[in-house]
Amino acid sequence: MDAIRRHVVVHGQVQGIGFRFSARVEAQRLGVSGWVRNRSDGAVEAEIEGEPPAIDAMLGWFDEGPPGASVTTMITSDLEPTGEHGFTVTV
């Protein structure tokens, strides 16, 4: 399968609860590459890349978040794959 890449912005109670670090664990479990970071507006932003089933699963995870999260809105857009490997939490 060819890799796909998505840009994701998650709004709600998503900062201060370990969202980014939980996202990294989930991405590693699913074999998804990319990055995640907090935004100054209180949202969490990520780019994720991998095979379509893994990306769908990761998007499902983002829509729920870890325990303690309350996701109100998730906005996604398509990006061109970059061939990135690994998943990082950025500042």
Side-chain angles (χ1 to χ4, degrees), residues 9-11 15 38-44:
V9 179
V10 183
H11 296 273
Q15 289 191 13
N38 284 341
R39 292 185 2 166
S40 61
D41 65 358
V44 168

Side-chain angles (χ1 to χ4, degrees), residues 1-79:
M1 264 185 225
D2 289 332
I4 59 173
R5 190 173 185 92
R6 298 288 183 264
H7 179 255
V8 184
V9 179
V10 183
H11 296 273
Q13 178 58 44
V14 293
Q15 289 191 13
I17 55 155
F19 198 105
R20 294 173 300 153
F21 297 99
S22 295
R24 180 179 62 195
V25 169
E26 186 67 8
Q28 290 171 336
R29 185 183 77 78
L30 294 170
V32 169
S33 298
W35 54 265
V36 63
R37 66 181 173 200
N38 284 341
R39 292 185 2 166
S40 61
D41 65 358
V44 168
E45 178 179 30
E47 288 188 11
I48 56 175
E49 184 170 331
E51 293 185 358
I55 295 301
D56 288 345
M58 191 72 200
L59 290 173
W61 184 91
F62 274 119
D63 198 35
E64 295 291 321
S70 177
V71 175
T72 56
T73 308
M74 183 177 78
I75 302 165
T76 64
S77 57
D78 298 344
L79 298 171

